[in-house]
Amino acid sequence: MAFVNQNQILQSLIAEQLVSDPASARGRLLKEAARLFRDKGYERTTVRDLAAAVGIQSGSLFHHFRTKEEILKAVMVETIRLNTALMQAAADSEESPRGKLRALVRSELESINGQTGEAMAVLVYEWRSLSESSQVQVLELREIYEGLWLSVLEELNELGQLKADPFIVRRMLTGALSWTVTWYKPERGGLTLDGLTDQVMAMLGL
Amino acid sequence: MAFVNQNQILQSLIAEQLVSDPASARGRLLKEAARLFRDKGYERTTVRDLAAAVGIQSGSLFHHFRTKEEILKAVMVETIRLNTALMQAAADSEESPRGKLRALVRSELESINGQTGEAMAVLVYEWRSLSESSQVQVLELREIYEGLWLSVLEELNELGQLKADPFIVRRMLTGALSWTVTWYKPERGGLTLDGLTDQVMAMLGL
DNA sequence: GACAATACCAAGCAAGCGCTTGGTTTGTAA
DNA sequence: TTACAAACCAAGCGCTTGCTTGGTATTGTC
Protein backbone atom coordinates (compact mmCIF):
# COMPACT_ATOMS: atom_id res chain seq x y z
CA MET A 1 0.00 0.00 0.00
CA ALA A 2 1.20 3.46 -0.84
CA PHE A 3 2.12 5.80 1.98
CA VAL A 4 -0.33 8.62 2.39
CA ASN A 5 -0.14 11.53 4.75
CA GLN A 6 -2.81 12.64 7.15
CA ASN A 7 -3.95 15.53 5.03
CA GLN A 8 -4.50 13.31 2.01
CA ILE A 9 -6.68 11.05 4.10
CA LEU A 10 -8.75 13.99 5.32
CA GLN A 11 -9.14 15.32 1.78
CA SER A 12 -10.34 12.01 0.38
CA LEU A 13 -12.88 11.65 3.21
CA ILE A 14 -14.16 15.14 2.49
CA ALA A 15 -14.44 14.26 -1.20
CA GLU A 16 -16.51 11.21 -0.28
CA GLN A 17 -18.65 13.43 1.94
CA LEU A 18 -17.87 11.25 4.94
CA VAL A 19 -16.55 14.19 6.95
CA SER A 20 -17.26 17.90 6.64
CA ASP A 21 -14.69 20.31 5.28
CA PRO A 22 -13.34 22.28 8.29
CA ALA A 23 -13.60 25.39 6.12
CA SER A 24 -17.34 24.97 5.50
CA ALA A 25 -20.00 26.40 7.79
CA ARG A 26 -20.94 22.94 8.97
CA GLY A 27 -17.33 21.95 9.53
CA ARG A 28 -16.56 25.04 11.56
CA LEU A 29 -19.61 24.52 13.72
CA LEU A 30 -18.67 20.91 14.42
CA LYS A 31 -15.17 21.93 15.41
CA GLU A 32 -16.41 24.60 17.80
CA ALA A 33 -19.04 22.22 19.13
CA ALA A 34 -16.40 19.60 19.89
CA ARG A 35 -14.35 22.16 21.78
CA LEU A 36 -17.31 23.41 23.79
CA PHE A 37 -18.61 19.92 24.53
CA ARG A 38 -15.22 18.89 25.84
CA ASP A 39 -14.65 22.02 27.88
CA LYS A 40 -18.06 22.38 29.46
CA GLY A 41 -19.80 19.10 28.71
CA TYR A 42 -22.69 18.58 26.32
CA GLU A 43 -25.43 19.47 28.80
CA ARG A 44 -23.78 22.65 30.01
CA THR A 45 -23.25 23.83 26.44
CA THR A 46 -26.33 25.67 25.21
CA VAL A 47 -27.43 26.17 21.63
CA ARG A 48 -26.77 29.86 22.27
CA ASP A 49 -23.14 29.03 23.12
CA LEU A 50 -22.82 26.99 19.95
CA ALA A 51 -24.34 29.69 17.79
CA ALA A 52 -22.20 32.42 19.34
CA ALA A 53 -19.06 30.38 18.68
CA VAL A 54 -19.66 30.59 14.94
CA GLY A 55 -21.24 34.04 14.99
CA ILE A 56 -24.88 33.34 14.20
CA GLN A 57 -28.17 33.47 16.10
CA SER A 58 -29.19 30.44 18.11
CA GLY A 59 -32.26 29.82 16.00
CA SER A 60 -30.16 29.70 12.83
CA LEU A 61 -28.47 26.57 14.07
CA PHE A 62 -31.63 24.64 13.35
CA HIS A 63 -31.32 25.37 9.71
CA HIS A 64 -28.21 23.13 9.66
CA PHE A 65 -29.17 20.56 12.28
CA ARG A 66 -32.60 19.41 13.35
CA THR A 67 -31.72 19.07 17.03
CA LYS A 68 -28.87 19.77 19.41
CA GLU A 69 -28.27 16.07 19.80
CA GLU A 70 -27.76 15.73 16.05
CA ILE A 71 -24.77 18.03 16.44
CA LEU A 72 -23.27 15.78 19.10
CA LYS A 73 -23.88 12.74 16.93
CA ALA A 74 -22.27 14.39 13.91
CA VAL A 75 -19.19 15.25 15.97
CA MET A 76 -18.87 11.63 17.01
CA VAL A 77 -19.59 10.04 13.64
CA GLU A 78 -17.16 12.22 11.73
CA THR A 79 -14.49 11.77 14.38
CA ILE A 80 -14.69 8.00 14.21
CA ARG A 81 -14.64 8.01 10.42
CA LEU A 82 -11.56 10.20 10.30
CA ASN A 83 -9.70 8.33 13.00
CA THR A 84 -10.51 4.90 11.62
CA ALA A 85 -8.94 5.98 8.35
CA LEU A 86 -5.92 7.46 10.13
CA MET A 87 -5.42 4.33 12.21
CA GLN A 88 -5.74 2.07 9.20
CA ALA A 89 -3.06 4.04 7.41
CA ALA A 90 -0.83 4.00 10.48
CA ALA A 91 -1.10 0.23 10.84
CA ASP A 92 -0.55 -0.35 7.13
CA SER A 93 2.65 1.68 7.20
CA GLU A 94 4.34 -0.90 9.43
CA GLU A 95 5.42 -4.46 8.79
CA SER A 96 5.87 -6.15 12.15
CA PRO A 97 3.01 -6.67 14.61
CA ARG A 98 4.98 -4.76 17.23
CA GLY A 99 5.49 -1.92 14.77
CA LYS A 100 1.81 -1.93 13.92
CA LEU A 101 0.82 -1.76 17.58
CA ARG A 102 3.21 1.10 18.21
CA ALA A 103 1.76 2.93 15.22
CA LEU A 104 -1.77 2.42 16.55
CA VAL A 105 -0.83 3.65 20.02
CA ARG A 106 0.92 6.67 18.59
CA SER A 107 -1.92 7.40 16.24
CA GLU A 108 -4.53 7.21 18.99
CA LEU A 109 -2.44 9.40 21.29
CA GLU A 110 -2.16 11.87 18.46
CA SER A 111 -5.90 11.85 17.89
CA ILE A 112 -6.57 12.35 21.57
CA ASN A 113 -3.99 15.03 22.21
CA GLY A 114 -3.77 16.71 18.84
CA GLN A 115 -6.04 18.48 16.40
CA THR A 116 -9.01 16.17 16.82
CA GLY A 117 -8.47 15.88 20.56
CA GLU A 118 -11.57 17.79 21.49
CA ALA A 119 -13.74 15.52 19.42
CA MET A 120 -12.06 12.35 20.71
CA ALA A 121 -12.68 13.42 24.29
CA VAL A 122 -16.31 14.06 23.44
CA LEU A 123 -16.54 10.60 21.93
CA VAL A 124 -15.37 9.02 25.17
CA TYR A 125 -16.92 11.20 27.82
CA GLU A 126 -20.24 12.31 26.32
CA TRP A 127 -21.46 8.89 25.31
CA ARG A 128 -24.36 8.98 27.78
CA SER A 129 -25.73 12.16 26.27
CA LEU A 130 -26.51 10.37 23.01
CA SER A 131 -29.99 8.94 22.55
CA GLU A 132 -30.10 5.17 22.38
CA SER A 133 -30.78 5.04 18.67
CA SER A 134 -27.80 7.28 18.00
CA GLN A 135 -25.66 5.13 20.27
CA VAL A 136 -26.44 2.11 18.11
CA GLN A 137 -25.36 3.90 14.94
CA VAL A 138 -22.15 5.24 16.44
CA LEU A 139 -21.39 1.85 17.95
CA GLU A 140 -21.41 0.23 14.52
CA LEU A 141 -18.67 2.57 13.36
CA ARG A 142 -16.80 2.09 16.59
CA GLU A 143 -16.66 -1.66 16.04
CA ILE A 144 -14.76 -1.26 12.79
CA TYR A 145 -12.29 0.92 14.64
CA GLU A 146 -11.89 -1.61 17.44
CA GLY A 147 -11.48 -4.41 14.94
CA LEU A 148 -8.28 -2.76 13.75
CA TRP A 149 -6.81 -2.94 17.22
CA LEU A 150 -7.90 -6.47 17.91
CA SER A 151 -6.41 -7.94 14.76
CA VAL A 152 -3.02 -6.49 15.61
CA LEU A 153 -3.20 -7.51 19.26
CA GLU A 154 -4.22 -11.06 18.35
CA GLU A 155 -1.32 -11.32 15.95
CA LEU A 156 1.03 -10.28 18.73
CA ASN A 157 -0.59 -12.77 21.05
CA GLU A 158 -0.06 -15.66 18.65
CA LEU A 159 3.61 -14.74 18.54
CA GLY A 160 3.66 -14.98 22.34
CA GLN A 161 4.67 -11.37 22.75
CA LEU A 162 1.60 -10.25 24.63
CA LYS A 163 1.49 -10.84 28.36
CA ALA A 164 -2.27 -10.63 28.80
CA ASP A 165 -5.50 -11.31 26.92
CA PRO A 166 -5.85 -9.21 23.72
CA PHE A 167 -9.41 -8.09 24.49
CA ILE A 168 -8.43 -7.01 27.97
CA VAL A 169 -5.28 -5.26 26.79
CA ARG A 170 -7.32 -3.29 24.28
CA ARG A 171 -9.82 -2.24 26.91
CA MET A 172 -7.08 -1.23 29.31
CA LEU A 173 -5.45 0.76 26.53
CA THR A 174 -8.74 2.45 25.66
CA GLY A 175 -9.02 3.74 29.21
CA ALA A 176 -5.35 4.54 29.66
CA LEU A 177 -4.91 6.39 26.37
CA SER A 178 -8.11 8.40 26.52
CA TRP A 179 -7.30 9.38 30.08
CA THR A 180 -4.12 11.08 28.85
CA VAL A 181 -6.31 13.95 27.69
CA THR A 182 -6.73 14.94 31.35
CA TRP A 183 -3.04 15.16 32.20
CA TYR A 184 -0.76 15.06 29.16
CA LYS A 185 0.43 18.54 28.25
CA PRO A 186 3.16 18.25 25.61
CA GLU A 187 4.03 21.94 25.67
CA ARG A 188 5.17 22.15 29.29
CA GLY A 189 7.30 19.29 30.49
CA GLY A 190 9.63 17.46 28.21
CA LEU A 191 7.63 14.38 27.30
CA THR A 192 7.00 14.23 23.56
CA LEU A 193 4.30 12.19 21.89
CA ASP A 194 6.92 9.67 20.80
CA GLY A 195 8.27 9.54 24.34
CA LEU A 196 4.81 8.89 25.69
CA THR A 197 4.28 6.18 23.10
CA ASP A 198 7.53 4.56 24.19
CA GLN A 199 6.37 4.59 27.80
CA VAL A 200 3.14 2.83 26.83
CA MET A 201 5.03 0.19 24.89
CA ALA A 202 7.50 -0.27 27.75
CA MET A 203 4.65 -0.70 30.17
CA LEU A 204 3.39 -3.56 28.02
CA GLY A 205 6.87 -5.07 27.96
CA LEU A 206 7.21 -4.41 24.25
CA MET B 1 -0.59 -3.13 61.84
CA ALA B 2 -3.60 -5.22 62.71
CA PHE B 3 -5.73 -6.64 59.93
CA VAL B 4 -9.10 -4.96 59.69
CA ASN B 5 -11.95 -5.77 57.38
CA GLN B 6 -13.75 -3.38 55.14
CA ASN B 7 -16.78 -3.06 57.35
CA GLN B 8 -14.68 -2.11 60.34
CA ILE B 9 -13.10 0.65 58.29
CA LEU B 10 -16.49 1.96 57.19
CA GLN B 11 -17.77 1.90 60.77
CA SER B 12 -14.83 3.84 62.15
CA LEU B 13 -15.17 6.47 59.43
CA ILE B 14 -18.85 6.82 60.29
CA ALA B 15 -17.95 7.18 63.96
CA GLU B 16 -15.52 9.96 63.08
CA GLN B 17 -18.26 11.58 60.98
CA LEU B 18 -16.06 11.46 57.91
CA VAL B 19 -18.64 9.53 55.90
CA SER B 20 -22.41 9.31 56.31
CA ASP B 21 -24.08 6.18 57.61
CA PRO B 22 -25.76 4.52 54.60
CA ALA B 23 -28.77 3.91 56.84
CA SER B 24 -29.26 7.61 57.60
CA ALA B 25 -31.35 9.92 55.47
CA ARG B 26 -28.27 11.73 54.27
CA GLY B 27 -26.45 8.50 53.51
CA ARG B 28 -29.32 7.07 51.51
CA LEU B 29 -29.62 10.24 49.48
CA LEU B 30 -25.92 10.24 48.67
CA LYS B 31 -26.10 6.63 47.55
CA GLU B 32 -29.06 7.29 45.27
CA ALA B 33 -27.42 10.47 44.01
CA ALA B 34 -24.27 8.56 43.07
CA ARG B 35 -26.32 6.03 41.15
CA LEU B 36 -28.32 8.67 39.30
CA PHE B 37 -25.27 10.82 38.56
CA ARG B 38 -23.49 7.82 37.08
CA ASP B 39 -26.45 6.60 35.07
CA LYS B 40 -27.67 9.88 33.66
CA GLY B 41 -24.89 12.34 34.42
CA TYR B 42 -25.00 15.18 36.92
CA GLU B 43 -26.60 17.72 34.59
CA ARG B 44 -29.33 15.39 33.39
CA THR B 45 -30.24 14.45 36.94
CA THR B 46 -32.75 16.94 38.34
CA VAL B 47 -33.37 17.73 41.98
CA ARG B 48 -36.79 16.21 41.37
CA ASP B 49 -35.13 12.94 40.35
CA LEU B 50 -32.99 12.99 43.46
CA ALA B 51 -35.92 13.72 45.73
CA ALA B 52 -38.10 11.04 44.13
CA ALA B 53 -35.33 8.47 44.59
CA VAL B 54 -35.57 8.85 48.37
CA GLY B 55 -39.31 9.53 48.45
CA ILE B 56 -39.48 13.21 49.39
CA GLN B 57 -40.46 16.43 47.65
CA SER B 58 -37.83 18.25 45.64
CA GLY B 59 -37.90 21.29 47.90
CA SER B 60 -37.19 19.15 50.95
CA LEU B 61 -33.77 18.33 49.56
CA PHE B 62 -32.65 21.83 50.41
CA HIS B 63 -33.18 21.19 54.05
CA HIS B 64 -30.26 18.75 53.88
CA PHE B 65 -28.07 20.42 51.26
CA ARG B 66 -27.80 24.06 50.32
CA THR B 67 -27.36 23.42 46.60
CA LYS B 68 -27.44 20.59 44.13
CA GLU B 69 -23.71 20.90 43.63
CA GLU B 70 -23.16 20.37 47.34
CA ILE B 71 -24.67 16.91 46.87
CA LEU B 72 -22.19 16.11 44.11
CA LYS B 73 -19.33 17.35 46.23
CA ALA B 74 -20.46 15.29 49.21
CA VAL B 75 -20.61 12.16 47.05
CA MET B 76 -17.05 12.77 45.90
CA VAL B 77 -15.58 13.74 49.25
CA GLU B 78 -17.04 10.79 51.11
CA THR B 79 -16.04 8.40 48.35
CA ILE B 80 -12.43 9.50 48.45
CA ARG B 81 -12.31 9.33 52.22
CA LEU B 82 -13.66 5.80 52.28
CA ASN B 83 -11.48 4.55 49.46
CA THR B 84 -8.32 6.13 50.78
CA ALA B 85 -8.87 4.24 54.02
CA LEU B 86 -9.62 1.01 52.15
CA MET B 87 -6.54 1.35 49.96
CA GLN B 88 -4.32 2.15 52.93
CA ALA B 89 -5.52 -1.00 54.67
CA ALA B 90 -5.04 -3.07 51.52
CA ALA B 91 -1.47 -1.86 51.05
CA ASP B 92 -0.64 -2.35 54.72
CA SER B 93 -1.81 -5.95 54.58
CA GLU B 94 1.03 -6.87 52.23
CA GLU B 95 4.77 -7.03 52.70
CA SER B 96 6.39 -6.96 49.27
CA PRO B 97 6.10 -3.99 46.91
CA ARG B 98 4.64 -6.28 44.28
CA GLY B 99 2.10 -7.57 46.79
CA LYS B 100 1.23 -4.02 47.78
CA LEU B 101 0.68 -3.00 44.17
CA ARG B 102 -1.51 -5.99 43.53
CA ALA B 103 -3.53 -5.14 46.63
CA LEU B 104 -3.95 -1.57 45.42
CA VAL B 105 -5.05 -2.67 41.95
CA ARG B 106 -7.50 -5.17 43.40
CA SER B 107 -8.81 -2.66 45.88
CA GLU B 108 -9.37 0.00 43.23
CA LEU B 109 -11.06 -2.49 40.91
CA GLU B 110 -13.28 -3.47 43.80
CA SER B 111 -14.16 0.16 44.51
CA ILE B 112 -14.96 0.79 40.88
CA ASN B 113 -16.94 -2.35 40.21
CA GLY B 114 -18.40 -3.07 43.62
CA GLN B 115 -20.59 -1.35 46.17
CA THR B 116 -19.08 2.11 45.79
CA GLY B 117 -18.77 1.78 42.03
CA GLU B 118 -21.41 4.36 41.25
CA ALA B 119 -19.67 6.94 43.38
CA MET B 120 -16.23 6.12 41.95
CA ALA B 121 -17.53 6.59 38.41
CA VAL B 122 -19.00 9.93 39.44
CA LEU B 123 -15.64 10.95 40.86
CA VAL B 124 -13.94 10.29 37.55
CA TYR B 125 -16.51 11.37 35.01
CA GLU B 126 -18.32 14.28 36.68
CA TRP B 127 -15.26 16.27 37.65
CA ARG B 128 -16.13 19.13 35.31
CA SER B 129 -19.50 19.64 36.96
CA LEU B 130 -17.85 20.70 40.21
CA SER B 131 -17.29 24.40 40.77
CA GLU B 132 -13.67 25.43 40.85
CA SER B 133 -13.59 25.99 44.60
CA SER B 134 -15.01 22.53 45.18
CA GLN B 135 -12.48 21.06 42.78
CA VAL B 136 -9.68 22.46 44.91
CA GLN B 137 -11.05 20.87 48.06
CA VAL B 138 -11.62 17.49 46.46
CA LEU B 139 -8.20 17.62 44.83
CA GLU B 140 -6.53 17.93 48.23
CA LEU B 141 -8.10 14.67 49.32
CA ARG B 142 -7.29 13.07 45.99
CA GLU B 143 -3.60 13.84 46.44
CA ILE B 144 -3.42 11.79 49.62
CA TYR B 145 -4.99 8.93 47.72
CA GLU B 146 -2.56 9.26 44.83
CA GLY B 147 0.36 9.46 47.23
CA LEU B 148 -0.41 5.93 48.34
CA TRP B 149 -0.03 4.66 44.80
CA LEU B 150 3.11 6.60 44.04
CA SER B 151 5.02 5.45 47.10
CA VAL B 152 4.40 1.82 46.15
CA LEU B 153 5.21 2.37 42.47
CA GLU B 154 8.42 4.20 43.33
CA GLU B 155 9.47 1.40 45.62
CA LEU B 156 8.96 -1.06 42.77
CA ASN B 157 10.87 1.20 40.43
CA GLU B 158 13.88 1.33 42.74
CA LEU B 159 13.91 -2.45 42.73
CA GLY B 160 14.02 -2.31 38.93
CA GLN B 161 10.75 -4.19 38.58
CA LEU B 162 8.84 -1.42 36.85
CA LYS B 163 9.23 -1.06 33.10
CA ALA B 164 8.08 2.55 32.82
CA ASP B 165 8.01 5.78 34.81
CA PRO B 166 6.02 5.50 38.08
CA PHE B 167 4.02 8.68 37.49
CA ILE B 168 3.08 7.57 34.00
CA VAL B 169 2.23 4.07 35.10
CA ARG B 170 -0.09 5.47 37.74
CA ARG B 171 -1.82 7.71 35.24
CA MET B 172 -2.21 4.88 32.78
CA LEU B 173 -3.64 2.73 35.55
CA THR B 174 -6.05 5.46 36.60
CA GLY B 175 -7.50 5.52 33.10
CA ALA B 176 -7.38 1.78 32.54
CA LEU B 177 -8.95 0.80 35.86
CA SER B 178 -11.69 3.42 35.89
CA TRP B 179 -12.59 2.49 32.34
CA THR B 180 -13.40 -1.06 33.49
CA VAL B 181 -16.67 0.33 34.81
CA THR B 182 -17.87 0.60 31.21
CA TRP B 183 -17.21 -3.01 30.22
CA TYR B 184 -16.43 -5.31 33.16
CA LYS B 185 -19.49 -7.32 34.12
CA PRO B 186 -18.43 -9.96 36.67
CA GLU B 187 -21.81 -11.72 36.72
CA ARG B 188 -21.86 -12.77 33.06
CA GLY B 189 -18.62 -14.06 31.67
CA GLY B 190 -16.17 -15.97 33.79
CA LEU B 191 -13.64 -13.30 34.68
CA THR B 192 -13.49 -12.76 38.44
CA LEU B 193 -12.12 -9.69 40.14
CA ASP B 194 -9.00 -11.64 41.05
CA GLY B 195 -8.68 -12.80 37.47
CA LEU B 196 -8.95 -9.27 36.23
CA THR B 197 -6.35 -8.15 38.77
CA ASP B 198 -4.01 -10.86 37.50
CA GLN B 199 -4.46 -9.64 33.94
CA VAL B 200 -3.51 -6.12 34.97
CA MET B 201 -0.42 -7.34 36.76
CA ALA B 202 0.52 -9.53 33.81
CA MET B 203 0.15 -6.59 31.47
CA LEU B 204 2.68 -4.71 33.60
CA GLY B 205 4.98 -7.71 33.46
CA LEU B 206 4.59 -8.33 37.20
C1' DG C 1 -31.86 39.95 -14.42
C1' DA C 2 -35.36 36.79 -12.85
C1' DC C 3 -36.03 33.33 -9.49
C1' DA C 4 -35.47 29.82 -6.41
C1' DA C 5 -33.01 27.86 -2.93
C1' DT C 6 -30.11 28.63 0.83
C1' DA C 7 -28.67 31.03 4.91
C1' DC C 8 -29.72 33.77 8.28
C1' DC C 9 -32.24 37.18 11.92
C1' DA C 10 -35.49 38.88 15.60
C1' DA C 11 -38.67 37.54 18.67
C1' DG C 12 -40.59 34.56 21.61
C1' DC C 13 -43.08 30.15 23.25
C1' DA C 14 -43.67 26.15 26.20
C1' DA C 15 -41.40 23.35 29.26
C1' DG C 16 -38.23 22.32 32.67
C1' DC C 17 -34.79 23.89 35.78
C1' DG C 18 -32.75 25.04 40.69
C1' DC C 19 -34.30 26.92 44.52
C1' DT C 20 -37.54 29.63 47.94
C1' DT C 21 -41.35 30.25 50.77
C1' DG C 22 -44.82 29.63 54.46
C1' DG C 23 -46.78 26.37 56.79
C1' DT C 24 -47.52 21.43 58.77
C1' DT C 25 -46.04 17.01 60.74
C1' DT C 26 -42.84 14.22 63.41
C1' DG C 27 -39.40 13.19 66.85
C1' DT C 28 -37.28 14.25 71.44
C1' DA C 29 -36.74 15.56 75.97
C1' DA C 30 -38.14 17.85 80.30
C1' DT D 1 -48.23 18.17 78.47
C1' DT D 2 -45.61 21.48 76.75
C1' DA D 3 -41.92 23.29 74.07
C1' DC D 4 -38.98 23.32 70.29
C1' DA D 5 -36.25 21.86 66.57
C1' DA D 6 -35.70 18.91 62.73
C1' DA D 7 -37.92 16.99 58.71
C1' DC D 8 -40.97 17.49 55.37
C1' DC D 9 -44.94 19.25 52.01
C1' DA D 10 -47.47 22.13 48.55
C1' DA D 11 -47.03 25.69 45.68
C1' DG D 12 -44.77 28.36 42.75
C1' DC D 13 -41.17 32.08 41.33
C1' DG D 14 -37.78 33.61 38.18
C1' DC D 15 -34.87 32.11 34.85
C1' DT D 16 -32.84 29.27 31.18
C1' DT D 17 -33.45 25.81 28.01
C1' DG D 18 -34.18 23.70 23.15
C1' DC D 19 -36.69 24.83 19.52
C1' DT D 20 -40.30 27.41 16.33
C1' DT D 21 -42.00 31.01 13.60
C1' DG D 22 -42.43 34.52 10.02
C1' DG D 23 -39.80 37.21 7.64
C1' DT D 24 -35.37 39.17 5.21
C1' DA D 25 -30.81 39.05 3.08
C1' DT D 26 -27.50 36.37 0.24
C1' DT D 27 -26.12 33.18 -3.11
C1' DG D 28 -26.03 30.33 -7.23
C1' DT D 29 -28.10 29.22 -11.91
C1' DC D 30 -30.05 29.72 -16.35
Side-chain angles (χ1 to χ4, degrees), chain A residues 179, chain B residues 72 75-77 79-80 83 118-127 138 142:
Chain A
W179 187 246
Chain B
L72 176 62
V75 167
M76 293 190 174
V77 166
T79 303
I80 296 193
N83 281 290
E118 287 100 350
M120 286 294 282
V122 170
L123 192 51
V124 173
Y125 294 107
E126 298 297 337
W127 185 252
V138 177
R142 175 123 209 162

Side-chain angles (χ1 to χ4, degrees), chain B residues 66-125:
Chain B
R66 285 208 313 269
T67 63
K68 181 188 170 190
E69 197 222 336
E70 202 173 83
I71 298 175
L72 176 62
K73 185 172 139 189
V75 167
M76 293 190 174
V77 166
E78 297 203 1
T79 303
I80 296 193
R81 283 184 184 148
L82 174 58
N83 281 290
T84 303
L86 290 174
M87 301 283 271
Q88 182 71 260
D92 288 347
S93 72
E94 292 285 334
E95 283 295 322
S96 69
R98 190 201 169 277
K100 282 179 192 291
L101 181 66
R102 193 185 186 285
L104 288 181
V105 170
R106 213 210 111 104
S107 181
E108 192 160 286
L109 282 172
E110 211 170 336
S111 298
I112 289 164
N113 297 285
Q115 306 264 20
T116 60
E118 287 100 350
M120 286 294 282
V122 170
L123 192 51
V124 173
Y125 294 107

Side-chain angles (χ1 to χ4, degrees), chain A residues 112-168:
Chain A
I112 289 166
N113 297 285
Q115 306 263 22
T116 59
E118 289 99 349
M120 286 293 283
V122 169
L123 192 51
V124 172
Y125 295 108
E126 299 297 337
W127 185 253
R128 278 177 317 194
S129 300
L130 270 191
S131 71
E132 273 195 50
S133 67
S134 298
Q135 284 190 14
V136 172
Q137 294 174 60
V138 178
L139 205 56
E140 279 176 32
L141 292 173
R142 176 120 209 160
E143 267 161 24
I144 302 172
Y145 182 90
E146 293 301 322
L148 268 173
W149 279 89
L150 283 175
S151 66
V152 171
L153 285 169
E154 269 159 11
E155 216 176 331
L156 266 169
N157 194 40
E158 277 158 24
L159 294 172
Q161 293 182 40
L162 212 60
K163 307 203 183 299
D165 179 81
F167 282 89
I168 297 203

